[in-house]
Short mmCIF file of all heavy atoms in Angstrom, two decimals:
data_model
loop_
_atom_site.label_atom_id
_atom_site.label_comp_id
_atom_site.label_asym_id
_atom_site.label_seq_id
_atom_site.Cartn_x
_atom_site.Cartn_y
_atom_site.Cartn_z
N ASP J 111 -85.23 5.94 -29.24
CA ASP J 111 -85.63 7.39 -29.27
C ASP J 111 -84.40 8.33 -29.51
O ASP J 111 -84.53 9.29 -30.37
CB ASP J 111 -86.15 7.71 -27.85
CG ASP J 111 -87.72 7.51 -27.76
OD1 ASP J 111 -88.38 7.47 -28.85
OD2 ASP J 111 -88.27 7.28 -26.71
N ARG J 112 -83.20 8.05 -28.82
CA ARG J 112 -82.09 8.84 -29.11
C ARG J 112 -81.72 8.79 -30.42
O ARG J 112 -81.12 9.78 -31.04
CB ARG J 112 -81.08 8.48 -27.99
CG ARG J 112 -81.23 8.94 -26.67
CD ARG J 112 -79.93 8.62 -25.80
NE ARG J 112 -79.68 7.27 -25.63
CZ ARG J 112 -80.21 6.56 -24.62
NH1 ARG J 112 -81.03 7.07 -23.83
NH2 ARG J 112 -79.89 5.26 -24.51
N ARG J 113 -81.81 7.62 -31.02
CA ARG J 113 -81.31 7.44 -32.51
C ARG J 113 -82.27 7.92 -33.52
O ARG J 113 -82.17 7.78 -34.67
CB ARG J 113 -80.91 5.98 -32.64
CG ARG J 113 -79.73 5.49 -31.91
CD ARG J 113 -79.35 4.07 -32.31
NE ARG J 113 -80.28 3.04 -31.76
CZ ARG J 113 -81.10 2.37 -32.35
NH1 ARG J 113 -81.21 2.56 -33.73
NH2 ARG J 113 -81.95 1.45 -31.86
N GLN J 114 -83.57 8.32 -32.88
CA GLN J 114 -84.58 8.69 -33.77
C GLN J 114 -84.98 7.57 -34.70
O GLN J 114 -85.31 7.78 -35.96
CB GLN J 114 -84.34 9.97 -34.48
CG GLN J 114 -84.11 11.13 -33.59
CD GLN J 114 -84.07 12.54 -34.40
OE1 GLN J 114 -83.51 12.57 -35.48
NE2 GLN J 114 -84.42 13.54 -33.79
N ALA J 115 -85.02 6.33 -34.22
CA ALA J 115 -85.35 5.20 -35.06
C ALA J 115 -86.81 5.29 -35.40
O ALA J 115 -87.68 5.48 -34.59
CB ALA J 115 -85.09 3.97 -34.24
N ILE J 116 -87.15 5.16 -36.67
CA ILE J 116 -88.56 5.22 -37.08
C ILE J 116 -89.48 4.24 -36.61
O ILE J 116 -90.69 4.28 -36.55
CB ILE J 116 -88.68 5.39 -38.69
CG1 ILE J 116 -88.11 4.18 -39.26
CG2 ILE J 116 -87.89 6.53 -39.14
CD1 ILE J 116 -88.31 4.01 -40.82
N SER J 117 -88.91 3.02 -36.18
CA SER J 117 -89.80 1.93 -35.77
C SER J 117 -90.01 1.89 -34.23
O SER J 117 -90.42 0.90 -33.71
CB SER J 117 -89.14 0.57 -36.19
OG SER J 117 -87.83 0.42 -35.76
N VAL J 118 -89.64 2.96 -33.56
CA VAL J 118 -89.68 2.93 -32.08
C VAL J 118 -91.22 2.75 -31.61
O VAL J 118 -91.39 2.05 -30.66
CB VAL J 118 -89.11 4.15 -31.46
CG1 VAL J 118 -89.80 5.43 -31.93
CG2 VAL J 118 -89.02 4.09 -29.87
N GLY J 119 -92.15 3.31 -32.31
CA GLY J 119 -93.48 3.15 -31.97
C GLY J 119 -93.96 1.81 -32.15
O GLY J 119 -94.72 1.25 -31.15
N GLN J 120 -93.55 1.06 -33.06
CA GLN J 120 -94.07 -0.29 -33.32
C GLN J 120 -93.33 -1.22 -32.22
O GLN J 120 -93.96 -2.14 -31.72
CB GLN J 120 -93.57 -0.81 -34.68
CG GLN J 120 -93.96 -2.22 -35.05
CD GLN J 120 -93.44 -2.67 -36.35
OE1 GLN J 120 -92.25 -2.77 -36.49
NE2 GLN J 120 -94.31 -2.98 -37.36
N ALA J 121 -92.00 -0.91 -32.01
CA ALA J 121 -91.32 -1.64 -30.86
C ALA J 121 -92.04 -1.42 -29.66
O ALA J 121 -92.18 -2.51 -28.87
CB ALA J 121 -89.86 -1.26 -30.88
N ARG J 122 -92.34 -0.28 -29.25
CA ARG J 122 -93.06 -0.03 -27.99
C ARG J 122 -94.30 -0.81 -27.89
O ARG J 122 -94.71 -1.32 -26.79
CB ARG J 122 -93.28 1.45 -27.73
CG ARG J 122 -93.95 1.84 -26.45
CD ARG J 122 -94.00 3.35 -26.27
NE ARG J 122 -92.59 3.77 -25.89
CZ ARG J 122 -91.78 4.59 -26.62
NH1 ARG J 122 -92.15 4.80 -27.94
NH2 ARG J 122 -90.72 4.86 -26.16
N LEU J 123 -95.11 -0.82 -28.90
CA LEU J 123 -96.46 -1.56 -29.02
C LEU J 123 -96.24 -3.00 -28.67
O LEU J 123 -96.82 -3.74 -27.96
CB LEU J 123 -97.05 -1.34 -30.45
CG LEU J 123 -98.39 -2.06 -30.58
CD1 LEU J 123 -99.44 -1.69 -29.57
CD2 LEU J 123 -98.89 -1.91 -32.02
N TYR J 124 -95.16 -3.66 -29.43
CA TYR J 124 -94.99 -5.06 -29.33
C TYR J 124 -94.46 -5.45 -27.89
O TYR J 124 -94.98 -6.43 -27.26
CB TYR J 124 -93.89 -5.53 -30.36
CG TYR J 124 -94.33 -5.90 -31.64
CD1 TYR J 124 -94.63 -4.89 -32.59
CD2 TYR J 124 -94.62 -7.21 -31.99
CE1 TYR J 124 -95.05 -5.27 -33.83
CE2 TYR J 124 -95.14 -7.55 -33.26
CZ TYR J 124 -95.31 -6.54 -34.15
OH TYR J 124 -95.69 -6.97 -35.44
N PHE J 125 -93.61 -4.66 -27.31
CA PHE J 125 -93.16 -4.89 -25.94
C PHE J 125 -94.20 -4.74 -24.93
O PHE J 125 -94.30 -5.61 -24.04
CB PHE J 125 -91.97 -3.97 -25.63
CG PHE J 125 -90.62 -4.26 -26.39
CD1 PHE J 125 -89.66 -3.29 -26.52
CD2 PHE J 125 -90.45 -5.51 -27.02
CE1 PHE J 125 -88.46 -3.52 -27.22
CE2 PHE J 125 -89.28 -5.89 -27.62
CZ PHE J 125 -88.35 -4.74 -27.79
N ASP J 126 -94.95 -3.71 -25.04
CA ASP J 126 -96.05 -3.45 -24.08
C ASP J 126 -97.08 -4.53 -24.14
O ASP J 126 -97.41 -5.09 -23.09
CB ASP J 126 -96.70 -2.09 -24.35
CG ASP J 126 -97.72 -1.79 -23.24
OD1 ASP J 126 -97.37 -1.72 -22.06
OD2 ASP J 126 -98.90 -1.53 -23.71
N ARG J 127 -97.56 -4.85 -25.39
CA ARG J 127 -98.59 -5.80 -25.46
C ARG J 127 -98.19 -7.25 -25.24
O ARG J 127 -98.88 -8.05 -24.51
CB ARG J 127 -99.12 -5.62 -26.82
CG ARG J 127 -100.38 -6.61 -27.19
CD ARG J 127 -100.74 -6.53 -28.64
NE ARG J 127 -99.65 -6.95 -29.44
CZ ARG J 127 -99.46 -6.72 -30.82
NH1 ARG J 127 -100.40 -5.93 -31.39
NH2 ARG J 127 -98.43 -7.19 -31.52
N ASP J 128 -97.06 -7.68 -25.86
CA ASP J 128 -96.61 -9.08 -25.81
C ASP J 128 -95.67 -9.56 -24.83
O ASP J 128 -95.48 -10.72 -24.78
CB ASP J 128 -96.18 -9.45 -27.26
CG ASP J 128 -97.28 -9.08 -28.46
OD1 ASP J 128 -98.36 -9.40 -28.16
OD2 ASP J 128 -96.85 -8.66 -29.41
N VAL J 129 -95.19 -8.56 -24.07
CA VAL J 129 -94.18 -8.98 -23.06
C VAL J 129 -94.55 -8.39 -21.69
O VAL J 129 -94.84 -9.14 -20.77
CB VAL J 129 -92.80 -8.48 -23.47
CG1 VAL J 129 -91.78 -9.00 -22.36
CG2 VAL J 129 -92.31 -9.03 -24.81
N LEU J 130 -94.64 -7.03 -21.56
CA LEU J 130 -94.75 -6.45 -20.31
C LEU J 130 -96.13 -6.72 -19.77
O LEU J 130 -96.23 -7.00 -18.46
CB LEU J 130 -94.60 -4.85 -20.37
CG LEU J 130 -93.26 -4.47 -20.93
CD1 LEU J 130 -93.11 -2.93 -21.14
CD2 LEU J 130 -92.08 -4.90 -20.04
N LYS J 131 -97.18 -6.72 -20.53
CA LYS J 131 -98.60 -7.06 -20.00
C LYS J 131 -98.83 -8.48 -20.08
O LYS J 131 -99.65 -8.99 -19.25
CB LYS J 131 -99.54 -6.24 -20.80
CG LYS J 131 -99.58 -4.72 -20.54
CD LYS J 131 -100.63 -3.95 -21.34
CE LYS J 131 -100.58 -2.56 -21.03
NZ LYS J 131 -101.59 -1.82 -21.85
N ALA J 132 -98.27 -9.18 -21.03
CA ALA J 132 -98.55 -10.56 -21.23
C ALA J 132 -97.90 -11.53 -20.22
O ALA J 132 -98.44 -12.49 -19.87
CB ALA J 132 -98.15 -11.03 -22.63
N ASN J 133 -96.77 -11.16 -19.75
CA ASN J 133 -95.96 -11.91 -18.71
C ASN J 133 -95.24 -11.01 -17.82
O ASN J 133 -94.10 -10.84 -17.93
CB ASN J 133 -94.99 -12.90 -19.51
CG ASN J 133 -94.47 -14.00 -18.61
OD1 ASN J 133 -94.31 -13.86 -17.41
ND2 ASN J 133 -94.28 -15.10 -19.27
N LYS J 134 -96.05 -10.59 -16.69
CA LYS J 134 -95.46 -9.75 -15.77
C LYS J 134 -94.40 -10.40 -14.92
O LYS J 134 -93.43 -9.69 -14.41
CB LYS J 134 -96.55 -9.09 -14.95
CG LYS J 134 -97.55 -8.25 -15.65
CD LYS J 134 -98.53 -7.65 -14.83
CE LYS J 134 -99.59 -6.70 -15.53
NZ LYS J 134 -100.45 -6.13 -14.74
N VAL J 135 -94.49 -11.66 -14.61
CA VAL J 135 -93.54 -12.32 -13.85
C VAL J 135 -92.18 -12.40 -14.56
O VAL J 135 -91.14 -12.05 -14.03
CB VAL J 135 -93.88 -13.78 -13.62
CG1 VAL J 135 -92.70 -14.60 -12.86
CG2 VAL J 135 -95.14 -13.82 -12.72
N LEU J 136 -92.06 -12.66 -15.81
CA LEU J 136 -90.94 -12.55 -16.58
C LEU J 136 -90.44 -11.25 -16.79
O LEU J 136 -89.15 -11.01 -16.66
CB LEU J 136 -91.21 -13.29 -18.01
CG LEU J 136 -89.83 -13.45 -18.90
CD1 LEU J 136 -88.84 -14.35 -18.17
CD2 LEU J 136 -90.36 -13.99 -20.29
N SER J 137 -91.31 -10.31 -17.09
CA SER J 137 -90.90 -8.86 -17.16
C SER J 137 -90.04 -8.31 -15.94
O SER J 137 -89.17 -7.55 -16.03
CB SER J 137 -92.14 -8.02 -17.46
OG SER J 137 -92.78 -8.41 -18.59
N ASN J 138 -90.51 -8.74 -14.80
CA ASN J 138 -89.82 -8.27 -13.51
C ASN J 138 -88.67 -9.24 -13.03
O ASN J 138 -88.15 -8.99 -11.97
CB ASN J 138 -90.88 -8.30 -12.36
CG ASN J 138 -91.99 -7.21 -12.65
OD1 ASN J 138 -91.50 -6.13 -13.11
ND2 ASN J 138 -93.15 -7.37 -12.40
N SER J 139 -88.30 -10.26 -13.92
CA SER J 139 -87.23 -10.99 -13.69
C SER J 139 -85.86 -10.41 -14.17
O SER J 139 -85.93 -9.65 -15.19
CB SER J 139 -87.39 -12.45 -14.21
OG SER J 139 -88.58 -13.08 -13.77
N PRO J 140 -84.67 -10.65 -13.62
CA PRO J 140 -83.49 -10.09 -14.07
C PRO J 140 -83.32 -10.64 -15.60
O PRO J 140 -83.52 -11.64 -15.94
CB PRO J 140 -82.46 -10.82 -13.28
CG PRO J 140 -83.10 -11.09 -12.01
CD PRO J 140 -84.49 -11.48 -12.43
N ALA J 141 -82.88 -9.62 -16.43
CA ALA J 141 -82.65 -9.82 -17.83
C ALA J 141 -81.64 -10.93 -18.07
O ALA J 141 -81.77 -11.64 -19.00
CB ALA J 141 -82.30 -8.53 -18.57
N SER J 142 -80.67 -10.99 -17.16
CA SER J 142 -79.60 -12.00 -17.32
C SER J 142 -80.07 -13.37 -17.15
O SER J 142 -79.35 -14.32 -17.38
CB SER J 142 -78.52 -11.62 -16.33
OG SER J 142 -78.96 -11.73 -15.06
N GLU J 143 -81.26 -13.49 -16.46
CA GLU J 143 -81.81 -14.91 -16.24
C GLU J 143 -82.87 -15.33 -17.30
O GLU J 143 -83.40 -16.43 -17.13
CB GLU J 143 -82.47 -14.97 -14.89
CG GLU J 143 -81.42 -14.69 -13.76
CD GLU J 143 -81.99 -14.74 -12.34
OE1 GLU J 143 -83.23 -15.09 -12.26
OE2 GLU J 143 -81.30 -14.40 -11.42
N VAL J 144 -83.09 -14.53 -18.29
CA VAL J 144 -84.08 -14.95 -19.35
C VAL J 144 -83.40 -16.00 -20.17
O VAL J 144 -82.28 -15.94 -20.63
CB VAL J 144 -84.45 -13.71 -20.20
CG1 VAL J 144 -85.29 -14.17 -21.33
CG2 VAL J 144 -85.17 -12.78 -19.30
N THR J 145 -84.14 -17.02 -20.42
CA THR J 145 -83.70 -18.19 -21.18
C THR J 145 -84.21 -18.27 -22.57
O THR J 145 -85.27 -17.60 -22.81
CB THR J 145 -84.05 -19.54 -20.37
OG1 THR J 145 -85.45 -19.66 -20.47
CG2 THR J 145 -83.52 -19.52 -19.07
N PRO J 146 -83.76 -19.24 -23.50
CA PRO J 146 -84.28 -19.34 -24.76
C PRO J 146 -85.73 -19.86 -24.64
O PRO J 146 -86.65 -19.43 -25.43
CB PRO J 146 -83.39 -20.38 -25.52
CG PRO J 146 -81.98 -20.06 -24.80
CD PRO J 146 -82.27 -19.71 -23.40
N SER J 147 -86.05 -20.67 -23.67
CA SER J 147 -87.39 -21.16 -23.45
C SER J 147 -88.34 -20.13 -23.17
O SER J 147 -89.52 -20.13 -23.59
CB SER J 147 -87.39 -22.28 -22.37
OG SER J 147 -86.61 -23.39 -22.68
N ASP J 148 -87.93 -19.05 -22.40
CA ASP J 148 -88.82 -17.95 -22.18
C ASP J 148 -89.05 -17.19 -23.48
O ASP J 148 -90.31 -16.70 -23.63
CB ASP J 148 -88.11 -16.99 -21.22
CG ASP J 148 -87.83 -17.54 -19.82
OD1 ASP J 148 -88.67 -18.35 -19.32
OD2 ASP J 148 -86.85 -17.29 -19.12
N ILE J 149 -88.09 -17.06 -24.33
CA ILE J 149 -88.26 -16.34 -25.60
C ILE J 149 -89.32 -17.15 -26.47
O ILE J 149 -90.24 -16.49 -26.99
CB ILE J 149 -87.04 -16.11 -26.31
CG1 ILE J 149 -86.01 -15.30 -25.51
CG2 ILE J 149 -87.24 -15.43 -27.63
CD1 ILE J 149 -86.40 -13.91 -25.08
N VAL J 150 -89.13 -18.38 -26.47
CA VAL J 150 -90.07 -19.31 -27.22
C VAL J 150 -91.46 -19.10 -26.68
O VAL J 150 -92.36 -19.06 -27.51
CB VAL J 150 -89.53 -20.85 -27.15
CG1 VAL J 150 -90.59 -21.68 -27.83
CG2 VAL J 150 -88.26 -20.90 -27.90
N LYS J 151 -91.59 -19.15 -25.39
CA LYS J 151 -92.97 -18.98 -24.93
C LYS J 151 -93.61 -17.67 -25.30
O LYS J 151 -94.85 -17.72 -25.70
CB LYS J 151 -92.87 -19.14 -23.35
CG LYS J 151 -94.29 -19.09 -22.67
CD LYS J 151 -94.18 -19.28 -21.20
CE LYS J 151 -95.61 -19.19 -20.50
NZ LYS J 151 -95.57 -19.28 -19.05
#
Side-chain angles (χ1 to χ4, degrees):
D111 274 336
R112 285 190 292 274
R113 293 184 286 108
Q114 297 186 331
I116 60 176
S117 58
V118 63
Q120 184 186 61
R122 181 171 284 106
L123 174 65
Y124 274 85
F125 289 158
D126 182 60
R127 180 189 64 198
D128 300 323
V129 183
L130 302 179
K131 291 181 178 177
N133 195 324
K134 293 184 179 180
V135 173
L136 181 63
S137 298
N138 292 320
S139 300
S142 60
E143 296 180 7
V144 175
T145 66
S147 296
D148 294 325
I149 301 298
V150 170
K151 182 178 179 181

